[in-house]
Amino acid sequence: MIKRALTIAGSAARGGAGIQADLKTFQEFDVFGTTAVTAIVARNPRTGQSIFPQSWEAIEAQLVTIEEDIGIDAMKTGMLFTKEIILNVTKWIQQSDIQHIVVDPVMIGKMGSALLKDDAMKAMQNQLIPLATIITPNMPEASYLLGGMELTSVVDLKEAARRLFEFGPKFVLVKGGRLDGPAVDVLYDGEQFYLLEAPRIDTLNTNGAGCSYSAAIVAGLAKGQTVQAAVIEAKKFITAGIRHSLTFKQGVGPTYHAAYGKYDEMSCAVTIERACVQE
């Protein structure tokens, strides 16, 4: 029977991020995807409003329908946006029997826009993140969660991963997409660091890269991969997507989700380092 993956996230009208990116990723990994939409992301030219949150009643209806009618082998959270949604999603997860939970702590968009209300950050940190199998912050999100910690090197990413691990997840993946040099991400399991390195690709068209990366991890976990194996394959998947990214009429273009299945992507090197025990 095909494995089933759920994404609880925003709907991105441009098609490159949010639940649209997640569903495309699930399909590429031959996983049946379901969605619970937390907000609609699209800019209204009259009012300037760009995020339209959904009520918990509407979100809950989606989750109950998915759980009762389809089932869930693994899941991820993306943009939750409000404290109310975070707390209610947390309660729902606690009452479920889902074993594989990926938390992408979506706080800051590609161009620096806020995707999480200020009062929601503590709820995410204290309530949702401790339930996670793995969290996948980018550098600004990791810095924000750690009170403004400056991240300028791989050494900093490792220290951030170590500190974020203390919040309670089983694994931490800090994505180093904003560093100079190769694209290095740091995975930490409390004992070892896994440094995932790929060549940096000279493109601005990376819309939805974080969403797709975490969705690929979910797909791997749903299919029975270890966290380490799921992250390594997800790194190859998103590297291929960025390498063959797309451009449209305007704005930052999206990654190309079909690229991993169409082109060889062998450029991810993994280095394993034993973590030093800190007193």
Side-chain angles (χ1 to χ4, degrees), residues 42-242:
R43 184 178 58 83
N44 185 300
R46 285 190 302 102
T47 65
Q49 184 175 351
S50 59
I51 299 177
F52 302 83
Q54 302 299 291
S55 67
W56 171 245
E57 181 182 12
I59 298 168
E60 183 182 31
Q62 297 172 81
L63 293 173
V64 171
T65 299
I66 293 162
E67 190 171 34
E68 293 184 351
D69 292 1
I70 306 299
I72 304 160
D73 294 302
M75 63 159 286
K76 65 164 281 190
T77 62
M79 190 183 78
L80 302 180
F81 193 56
T82 69
K83 179 180 179 180
E84 178 193 13
I85 293 174
I86 291 171
L87 292 177
N88 279 304
V89 166
T90 298
K91 290 177 183 176
W92 177 80
I93 291 173
Q94 289 172 326
Q95 294 167 3
S96 76
D97 60 357
I98 303 170
Q99 300 300 308
H100 306 296
I101 300 163
V102 177
V103 174
D104 189 7
V106 176
M107 300 176 177
I108 301 166
K110 190 68 62 183
M111 306 307 292
S113 56
L115 299 176
L116 184 73
K117 286 193 169 181
D118 289 342
D119 66 347
M121 198 269 274
K122 283 296 182 184
M124 177 171 286
Q125 177 179 324
N126 297 330
Q127 303 296 322
L128 181 58
I129 286 177
L131 303 180
T133 305
I134 181 173
I135 62 171
T136 62
N138 60 28
M139 289 171 59
E141 290 158 353
S143 176
Y144 192 48
L145 283 165
L146 295 171
M149 177 182 174
E150 186 176 2
L151 304 177
T152 60
S153 67
V154 174
V155 172
D156 293 339
L157 297 190
K158 291 164 64 177
E159 181 59 24
R162 192 197 301 273
R163 295 187 191 183
L164 289 168
F165 184 79
E166 295 176 356
F167 291 2
K170 296 181 178 68
F171 290 80
V172 175
L173 176 69
V174 181
K175 298 172 293 189
R178 290 166 171 81
L179 291 179
D180 295 330
V184 179
D185 305 327
V186 174
L187 175 67
Y188 181 58
D189 63 4
E191 295 183 356
Q192 294 185 125
F193 293 106
Y194 300 79
L195 276 59
L196 292 80
E197 180 178 320
R200 183 166 302 281
I201 299 161
D202 185 17
T203 179
L204 295 175
N205 299 315
T206 57
N207 177 238
C211 305
S212 304
Y213 198 162
S214 60
I217 296 170
V218 173
L221 295 178
K223 294 170 74 172
Q225 290 184 334
T226 64
V227 172
Q228 293 91 333
V231 171
I232 291 168
E233 187 167 16
K235 175 71 168 177
K236 294 179 180 178
F237 172 83
I238 199 58
T239 300
I242 294 172

